[in-house]
């Protein structure tokens, strides 16, 4: 009888550990600067990010910082085919979770600062969808990431990024974009600003 209870307790504990919010909290404690948020994005914010991705472009879509997969799910629901979606995730725990949750997309456990070495050489890029915590990342990593966007997206594709800074985050001063658009999404904790850039 004890054995049955022990098995049930182990099963419940494993479900709780792999549930999105719990996993997020664990990663926030382990890697606060890289996790950069108190909880996963809301579905509303995820949809507002995904809706900017053009559907008439045959390039790949790169998601940076997939976390538990809220935005990944919204990108697929928006109509991006799984074989076109690449997710770059720094945390091995989140990357493992994303691979199990979305077996038909490409999940790469790596650092977005080295994006050019992680995606197929000379890939045509439709969009980069980023929820990286650019505000809290070490400044050198943040600048490397923004340099990658300028190089890889010049003349093609767009970058979509959200921030909790509803004014103008410091990292934005390092972006030289030819087109820029922004909107605030109140249905998120905390409210966020979605920004799109064309280079
Ligand atoms: C604010 S969370 C967003 C998670 C999820 N997309 C969401 O919206 O709920 C930031 C995510 O970026 C990942 N991350 C942080 N720095 C990274 C880097 N340099 N390269 C790749 N992923 C990174 C973190 O591990 C975390 O999953």
């Amino acid at each position: 009888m004890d054995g049955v209870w022990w098995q049930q307790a182990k099963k419940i504990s494993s479900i709780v550990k792999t549930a999105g919010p719990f996993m997020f909290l664990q990663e926030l404690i382990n890697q606060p600067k890289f996790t950069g948020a108190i909880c996963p994005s809301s579905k509303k914010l995820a949809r507002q990010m995904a809706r900017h991705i053009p559907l008439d472009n045959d390039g790949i879509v790169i998601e940076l910082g997939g976390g538990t997969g809220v935005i990944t799910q919204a990108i697929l629901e928006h109509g991006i085919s799984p074989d076109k979606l690449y997710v770059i995730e720094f945390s091995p725990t989140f990357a493992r979770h994303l691979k199990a949750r979305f077996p038909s997309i490409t999940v790469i456990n790596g650092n977005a600062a080295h994006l050019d070495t992680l995606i197929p050489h000379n890939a045509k890029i439709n969009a980069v969808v980023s929820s990286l915590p650019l505000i809290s990342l070490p400044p050198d990593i943040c600048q490397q990431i923004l340099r990658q966007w300028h190089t890889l997206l010049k003349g093609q594709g767009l970058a979509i990024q959200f921030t909790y800074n509803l004014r103008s985050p410091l990292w934005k001063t390092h972006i030289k974009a030819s087109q820029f658009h922004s909107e605030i999404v109140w249905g998120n904790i905390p409210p966020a600003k979605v920004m799109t850039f064309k280079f």
Side-chain angles (χ1 to χ4, degrees):
M1 191 66 175
D2 274 357
V4 175
W5 277 108
W6 178 241
Q7 288 304 326
Q8 292 294 341
K10 264 179 40 183
K11 212 165 160 184
I12 291 167
S13 148
S14 117
I15 290 169
V16 169
K17 276 187 187 156
T18 51
F22 184 88
M23 199 188 304
F24 209 90
L25 190 62
Q26 253 188 342
E27 288 304 289
L28 180 62
I29 293 163
N30 293 339
Q31 298 269 18
K33 286 189 173 178
F34 283 81
T35 306
I38 49 165
C39 59
S41 300
S42 68
K43 284 190 178 161
K44 183 154 191 183
L45 174 58
R47 280 198 297 268
Q48 287 293 99
M49 296 280 283
R51 78 178 184 89
H52 292 284
I53 307 170
L55 291 174
D56 57 355
N57 183 311
D58 63 355
I60 61 169
V61 173
I62 303 167
E63 185 191 353
L64 303 179
T68 56
V70 186
I71 296 178
T72 319
Q73 178 73 40
I75 295 172
L76 293 170
E77 283 171 5
H78 176 64
I80 297 302
S81 148
D83 62 308
K84 296 274 179 205
L85 181 53
Y86 287 69
V87 182
I88 314 296
E89 174 50 62
F90 185 71
S91 145
T93 306
F94 281 147
R96 255 196 318 276
H97 167 79
L98 290 165
K99 279 180 193 169
R101 182 171 171 192
F102 304 102
S104 51
I105 67 170
T106 305
V107 177
I108 298 163
N109 181 204
N111 188 338
H114 308 134
L115 185 57
D116 57 346
T117 64
L118 302 174
I119 56 168
H121 187 57
N122 280 338
K124 180 178 174 193
I125 302 173
N126 178 357
V128 166
V129 184
S130 164
S131 49
L132 296 176
L134 295 177
I135 293 175
S136 65
L137 284 179
D140 57 323
I141 293 196
C142 176
Q143 283 179 24
Q144 276 183 59
I145 290 166
L146 298 181
R147 272 201 297 274
Q148 292 273 337
W149 294 7
H150 281 93
T151 313
L152 292 169
L153 292 174
K154 189 143 187 75
Q156 64 161 343
L158 78 162
I160 306 163
Q161 169 77 45
F162 82 73
T163 175
Y164 298 130
N165 182 331
L166 300 187
R167 292 184 174 181
S168 194
L170 187 61
W171 55 260
K172 189 171 168 281
T173 59
H174 299 292
I175 292 193
K176 308 274 171 280
S178 62
Q179 281 178 44
F180 169 69
H181 167 82
S182 84
E183 75 212 349
I184 293 179
V185 178
W186 296 104
N188 190 68
I189 303 172
K193 186 154 78 170
V194 173
M195 295 187 271
T196 64
F197 304 93
K198 251 187 178 293
F199 297 91

